[in-house]
Amino acid sequence: MPLVLLLLMLFGALCSPGQAMSREENTLSKVCLCVSQDHAYPADELMPLTCRGRVRGLEPSRGDIDDALGKFSLTLIDTLDTLVLLNKTTEFEDAVRRVLSDVRLDNDIVVSVFETNIRVLGGLLGGHSMAVMLKEGGQHMQWYQDELLHMAKDLGLRLLPAFNTSSGLPYPRVNLKHGVRGPETRTGTETDTCTACAGTIILEFAALSRFTGDPVFEAHARRALDFLWEKRQRNSNLVGTTINIHSGEWVRRDSGVGAGIDSYYEYLLKAYVLLGDDLFLERFNIHYASIMKYISQPPLLLDVHIHKPLLPARTWMDSLLAFFPGLQVLKGDIRPAIETHEMLYQVTKKHNFLPEAFTTDFRVHWAQHPLRPEFAESTYFLYKATGDPYYLEAGRTIMDNLNRFARVPCGFAAMKDVRTGSHEDRMDSFFLAEMFKYLFLLFAELDDIPFDVEDYVFTTEAHLLPLSLSMAPHSSPSDEELDDSNFDWTCPNTHLLFPDPAFPRILREPIRSAVDKSCPRPAPYREPGMGRPPLRAQDFMANNPEHLELLRRMGVSLIHLKDGRVQLVQHATQAVSAVAAEDGVRFMQEMMELSSQQQKEQLPPRAIQIVSHPFFGRVVLTAGPAQFGTDLSKSSTGVRGFVTVAEPYSGCSEIVNAEYIQGHIALLQRGQCMFAEKARHIQKAGAIGGIVVDDNEGSSSDTAPLFQMAGDGRSTDDITLPLLFLFHKEGNILLEALKEYREVEVLLSDKARDRDTSPAEEVSAPKEEVKPAEAEPAVAQPQEDRDSEKEEKPEEDTDSSSQSVDELLADWREDLEAFKQMEKDEL
């Protein structure tokens, strides 16, 4: 007999902008419960474009994403407590019976410990909490005898083997049937895990321990948190993104509040709220102080290096950090929450959805949007904290965009590209578990909600765990002595925070103007004799102290980004006067117009082709151009020469090895001076071209858009040689080639050219030209002749040096495959 998967569908009849929302519209009475027969159940997820269920192993693998699927009817379990919140108790009761009769947890399948914990274990515990509440009400679930809790304990026991490590940090994956160790498990060989993966266990495991009376789960979760806390960087009090589960060494030392770390911070604060253990609050407060000191640059939240926290680690932000304003509300720090949320809202309005990642100037970095709920979550919490109807408007924007762009006949489809509106055949379980919860709560009146949500804590998957668990029997907390200076015991009083209803609007206004480049403003009134604004955008120089002081007076702050650019943000309230604030607004508008014009004038990328033995033109590095020097697009031959490392490597003073640089292409390192200054020094030394390698270790086309080198603010007509830019990863290819071979010859040109590999062998040119600068990041691209695979390899290719080249090329082919996948998403 066909089984049913309940899909919640939104209707899109919303008010036009500017109108008040009626009670009818405020209550999500336009939420409809639709029954979709035979589409997904009992599969883990719905594929909304093809109207069928996603069953792991029957669909093409999507890599790590599929680790959330365990053939345990994921979406059904993940949405159990959503049904109760929507007062669909009959449907909830039916869903619970289906879970108990149909779901198996002993499948021979490898799953993510993190995803299974927050979605499945959390879903079972949230369902159990709702079932107990309904049973105590005396009208529903009278037959319930803790069956969901028994399933939750069974699952918890299946996850426990992952914690069998010397550090206590769990393996990232576990086999539901066989555990971790042993060949039949197909897991247990991993060495690294993300901080959030290991640090987002405590709520579910502690709840399981306190519901069942078995302390083993909470003990393991606490041990993992204790280890992460011990491994924090002691000077910055920040944690990295990825850690070795055996040694505790940080594998990735970048630190932020987005992907890889996000819910670790969330669970420290919520563990204090749920469990009442002051230790969690102390740790959160210490981390939070460092976040606000180093990562928060309102309205931006920029990743930094844990050992050098003043050094940004990225020039872009990922959409998962959108949860952070909501966490700041829980903390009671409302002002930065308002500012960051407003930035996110403006980016959402600009692109219809939050791109998976976006740059500090709010352009798309990764174009996907898998219908993530974090922005809706923060919108709900800010509305609860402020009562400002502005956040109802933000919620209505989310609903409208979901209906206009994501809704398809069988559900809601993830956006493959927010720029084109293309869809992906994907509807993750968190869309129903979280997005619908927060949107419903945002618009619902008190009498629309069947129970008091203030009696519950929301997990990171928005599952509801009762605060009464803090009184349940549990293992003794740590004896660690607490430092009272790290406690802020007060909760936010919105009446005191916002005596003036206009205050949140005052905070939002400068951020809106910073993101939205299409909001013309009238020129400010200036008293006679005051003249024009003190600084115009076209005259501004970031290294001019006088200009920086003028910015300060106008309330404009300067954020130095990792790629050498600067980000400007205005806070009108920090200007020295109202007139100065208006000057700042005009300056920001001019700067936006100037930036927009420069983007339109952006040059296409260039090519660096390694033409010497044993590469013979088969390796092409896509390089960033300079806005000065030789225009390679006007050269039919390009510039060809041998590469020599300049001394000093920075190129910021007179070149001391000029006799080797003369007639060669100089290799330089970015930093310490302007690009034009480097170009002048190597040109004086007789170089015929230059290549600047990024000094940011680990930078690559995977994490940054193509870089274009600007001049130094004065005439660069004296620079006549070509200068190109490579990210650190691509620059290392040249450096490694120089280490292995005495002479490396390259061709600098506008695109890859045909090259002779030997007198008897020719490698065909790549069929595709280099893409426009904004469309294709720099990447090492081996240009392979398909026919050459059929030819017999030259005898010298079997020597040891050539074998290492083959290994290099194999790595580059792997990078190319990764790039092709990224290109599908980006373009």
Side-chain angles (χ1 to χ4, degrees):
M1 186 171 90
L3 294 173
V4 177
L5 173 65
L6 296 175
L7 296 177
L8 303 175
M9 307 289 285
L10 286 172
F11 285 134
L14 298 174
C15 303
S16 61
Q19 290 181 326
M21 299 182 73
S22 69
R23 173 179 169 82
E24 181 186 11
E25 288 161 332
N26 254 350
T27 63
L28 273 189
S29 60
K30 300 188 183 295
V31 174
C32 163
L33 199 63
C34 293
V35 177
S36 179
Q37 295 279 359
D38 300 323
H39 285 334
Y41 191 83
D44 284 316
E45 288 181 346
L46 172 69
M47 299 174 68
L49 298 182
T50 52
C51 296
R52 67 177 190 269
R54 182 181 297 280
V55 178
R56 191 169 173 185
L58 299 183
E59 302 294 335
S61 173
R62 301 175 298 170
D64 291 348
I65 298 176
D66 284 340
D67 288 343
L69 312 181
K71 297 182 180 179
F72 36 35
S73 297
L74 172 63
T75 299
L76 182 62
I77 292 177
D78 213 3
T79 55
L80 286 176
D81 50 8
T82 303
L83 293 171
V84 180
L85 186 67
L86 293 174
N87 209 11
K88 300 296 179 181
T89 51
T90 301
E91 291 82 355
F92 171 74
E93 193 159 349
D94 178 64
V96 171
R97 291 184 185 276
R98 294 182 185 282
V99 169
L100 299 180
S101 63
D102 299 341
V103 173
R104 295 178 59 91
L105 298 175
D106 60 348
N107 301 313
D108 182 8
I109 193 169
V110 176
V111 296
S112 162
V113 173
F114 168 76
E115 297 289 355
T116 305
N117 174 67
I118 65 171
R119 298 202 208 185
V120 186
L121 182 57
L124 292 171
L125 292 171
H128 170 69
S129 300
M130 296 294 98
V132 170
M133 178 198 66
L134 291 173
K135 183 177 181 179
E136 291 175 350
Q139 295 183 359
H140 301 278
M141 301 295 293
Q142 296 304 299
W143 56 269
Y144 183 69
Q145 298 294 326
D146 295 344
E147 288 88 349
L148 291 177
L149 181 59
H150 299 325
M151 287 187 68
K153 184 173 182 179
D154 180 21
L155 180 59
L157 291 171
R158 295 179 185 281
L159 296 178
L160 277 184
F163 292 80
N164 188 22
T165 62
S166 58
S167 66
L169 299 180
Y171 283 100
R173 297 173 184 85
V174 66
N175 187 298
L176 289 176
K177 186 172 185 177
H178 300 292
V180 172
R181 299 189 180 277
E184 72 279 4
T185 66
R186 304 185 301 282
T187 187
T189 59
E190 304 93 342
T191 58
D192 306 334
T193 191
C194 71
T195 302
C197 299
T200 311
I201 306 288
I202 185 65
L203 292 189
E204 292 82 4
F205 268 42
L208 182 57
S209 281
R210 300 192 182 200
F211 273 134
T212 63
D214 187 344
V216 65
F217 305 104
E218 182 172 347
H220 278 290
R222 283 178 176 268
R223 184 184 176 209
L225 278 180
D226 290 344
F227 190 83
L228 289 173
W229 172 252
E230 287 300 317
K231 292 300 178 179
R232 75 192 185 281
Q233 212 290 323
R234 297 304 178 96
N235 292 323
S236 67
N237 279 316
L238 296 173
V239 292
T241 302
T242 306
I243 191 171
N244 185 292
I245 60 177
H246 303 297
S247 68
E249 294 294 321
W250 291 109
V251 179
R252 281 183 52 193
R253 294 178 171 85
D254 49 314
S255 183
V257 296
I261 302 179
D262 49 359
S263 48
Y264 163 69
Y265 293 132
E266 177 187 3
Y267 269 38
L268 282 178
L269 182 55
K270 290 185 176 180
Y272 163 69
V273 175
L274 179 66
L275 307 177
D277 189 339
D278 296 343
L279 180 65
F280 294 124
L281 179 61
E282 181 188 34
R283 291 178 180 179
F284 174 80
N285 282 337
I286 292 173
H287 280 315
Y288 186 77
S290 293
I291 291 170
M292 299 310 292
K293 181 178 181 180
Y294 300 118
I295 295 170
S296 176
Q297 300 180 34
L300 308 180
L301 291 164
L302 296 177
D303 283 21
V304 299
H305 294 276
I306 58 174
H307 294 92
K308 297 180 180 179
L310 297 177
L311 179 64
R314 285 182 185 171
T315 59
W316 49 273
M317 294 168 278
D318 67 76
S319 62
L320 284 170
L321 61 76
F323 91 101
F324 198 67
L327 189 65
Q328 290 179 306
V329 170
L330 188 61
K331 160 69 177 171
D333 199 1
I334 307 295
R335 177 174 183 142
I338 290 174
E339 292 174 327
T340 297
H341 180 277
E342 180 61 21
M343 178 270 291
L344 296 168
Y345 185 29
Q346 296 305 318
V347 174
T348 296
K349 292 201 292 188
K350 187 181 182 69
H351 302 294
N352 297 322
F353 299 97
L354 268 184
E356 195 73 331
F358 52 94
T359 62
T360 52
D361 53 359
F362 315 116
R363 291 184 293 168
V364 172
H365 183 67
W366 293 337
Q368 310 98 309
H369 174 74
L371 307 182
R372 292 200 185 278
E374 285 77 15
F375 178 63
E377 174 185 356
S378 288
T379 302
Y380 163 66
F381 284 116
L382 270 168
Y383 179 64
K384 288 283 288 183
T386 65
D388 189 342
Y390 179 81
Y391 296 109
L392 294 178
E393 295 292 333
R396 188 166 57 181
T397 298
I398 298 170
M399 289 176 59
D400 187 39
N401 289 341
L402 285 172
N403 279 299
R404 289 175 59 197
F405 304 111
R407 188 171 179 174
V408 294
C410 290
F412 290 84
M415 307 304 297
K416 186 170 182 63
D417 193 316
V418 298
R419 296 164 297 190
T420 64
S422 58
H423 289 123
E424 189 175 352
D425 200 4
R426 169 184 179 187
M427 192 180 85
D428 291 82
S429 66
F430 55 67
F431 178 68
L432 297 178
E434 298 183 72
M435 180 73 85
F436 271 54
K437 268 200 193 81
Y438 289 124
L439 288 178
F440 176 79
L441 288 169
L442 176 63
F443 293 111
E445 301 289 348
L446 283 178
D447 55 4
D448 296 321
I449 305 173
F451 58 91
D452 189 354
V453 295
E454 302 294 338
D455 292 336
Y456 295 83
V457 168
F458 288 96
T459 70
T460 195
E461 191 76 5
H463 293 305
L464 296 157
L465 299 178
L467 290 173
S468 58
L469 288 174
S470 64
M471 307 300 294
H474 60 281
S475 57
S476 301
S478 170
D479 295 330
E480 181 177 331
E481 186 175 346
L482 302 180
D483 180 359
D484 287 343
S485 66
N486 291 314
F487 286 86
D488 179 3
W489 297 105
T490 60
C491 293
N493 185 324
T494 56
H495 295 291
L496 297 177
L497 283 171
F498 306 115
D500 179 3
F503 179 69
R505 177 176 56 80
I506 293 171
L507 294 180
R508 292 191 294 259
E509 193 64 33
I511 298 168
R512 181 181 300 122
S513 64
V515 178
D516 187 357
K517 300 179 181 180
S518 60
C519 294
R521 296 175 180 268
Y525 170 76
R526 303 186 65 80
E527 296 179 8
M530 292 193 68
R532 301 176 65 189
L535 180 63
R536 306 305 299 266
Q538 60 265 32
D539 302 324
F540 172 67
M541 294 186 66
N543 57 355
N544 187 320
E546 197 174 309
H547 289 182
L548 296 179
E549 173 60 21
L550 290 172
L551 289 188
R552 186 193 66 78
R553 294 179 62 82
M554 293 188 292
V556 178
S557 57
L558 203 68
I559 301 172
H560 289 272
L561 303 178
K562 186 179 182 180
D563 62 2
R565 297 176 298 159
V566 294
Q567 180 77 30
L568 300 172
V569 177
Q570 190 202 24
H571 298 273
T573 56
Q574 297 179 9
V576 297
S577 67
V579 172
E582 290 295 332
D583 288 342
V585 171
R586 171 175 285 190
F587 175 83
M588 293 293 290
Q589 288 177 325
E590 291 178 349
M591 187 60 73
M592 292 169 193
E593 293 168 2
L594 186 63
S595 174
S596 178
Q597 181 180 356
Q598 289 175 347
Q599 289 176 23
K600 292 177 182 177
E601 298 171 353
Q602 199 161 30
L603 298 171
R606 307 304 186 203
I608 299 176
Q609 192 167 9
I610 307 179
V611 298
S612 54
H613 170 82
F615 305 95
F616 300 126
R618 291 176 296 174
V619 174
V620 178
L621 310 175
T622 306
Q627 296 175 345
F628 52 84
T630 300
D631 184 353
L632 291 170
S633 66
K634 298 179 181 178
S635 171
S636 59
T637 59
V639 175
R640 179 172 176 168
F642 289 94
V643 177
T644 301
V645 177
E647 296 180 11
Y649 191 24
S650 67
C652 292
S653 58
E654 185 174 348
I655 304 300
V656 298
N657 62 336
E659 67 274 19
Y660 300 106
I661 292 293
Q662 186 172 9
H664 286 196
I665 294 172
L667 195 63
L668 308 156
Q669 186 178 48
R670 180 184 181 183
Q672 302 182 31
C673 64
M674 305 295 281
F675 292 114
E677 186 177 346
K678 298 176 189 289
R680 290 188 178 99
H681 283 135
I682 62 172
Q683 181 171 285
K684 183 178 178 182
I688 59 174
I691 300 171
V692 179
V693 177
D694 194 7
D695 61 341
N696 172 29
E697 185 174 351
S699 70
S700 73
S701 58
D702 297 335
T703 56
L706 192 67
F707 187 80
Q708 183 168 276
M709 295 178 287
D712 56 3
R714 56 194 179 97
S715 174
T716 53
D717 292 343
D718 58 313
I719 301 175
T720 59
L721 52 68
L723 191 70
L724 301 182
F725 178 88
L726 289 177
F727 286 110
H728 187 269
K729 177 182 176 181
E730 287 73 40
N732 259 357
I733 293 173
L734 275 183
L735 290 171
E736 290 299 322
L738 282 170
K739 286 180 183 178
E740 191 159 353
Y741 306 99
R742 295 185 59 186
E743 295 183 332
V744 174
E745 188 179 16
V746 300
L747 174 67
L748 312 183
S749 60
D750 62 332
K751 60 183 179 180
R753 309 296 172 91
D754 291 350
R755 303 303 305 166
D756 290 334
T757 59
S758 69
E761 183 183 6
E762 185 180 47
V763 173
S764 63
K767 295 181 180 180
E768 293 185 2
E769 295 185 356
V770 180
K771 298 286 192 300
E774 288 192 7
E776 178 176 300
V779 66
Q781 300 187 44
Q783 303 296 331
E784 301 176 79
D785 182 357
R786 297 179 182 177
D787 294 335
S788 67
E789 295 178 1
K790 303 175 184 178
E791 297 176 6
E792 191 173 339
K793 291 185 178 180
E795 200 170 310
E796 62 268 25
D797 279 0
T798 60
D799 64 29
S800 60
S801 63
S802 293
Q803 286 176 356
S804 61
V805 172
D806 289 340
E807 292 172 2
L808 283 174
L809 288 175
D811 291 339
W812 294 332
R813 291 188 188 101
E814 185 177 332
D815 288 340
L816 180 58
E817 289 302 315
F819 170 75
K820 287 178 179 177
Q821 181 60 44
M822 183 181 71
E823 185 182 47
K824 293 178 183 177
D825 297 332
E826 287 279 7
L827 302 183

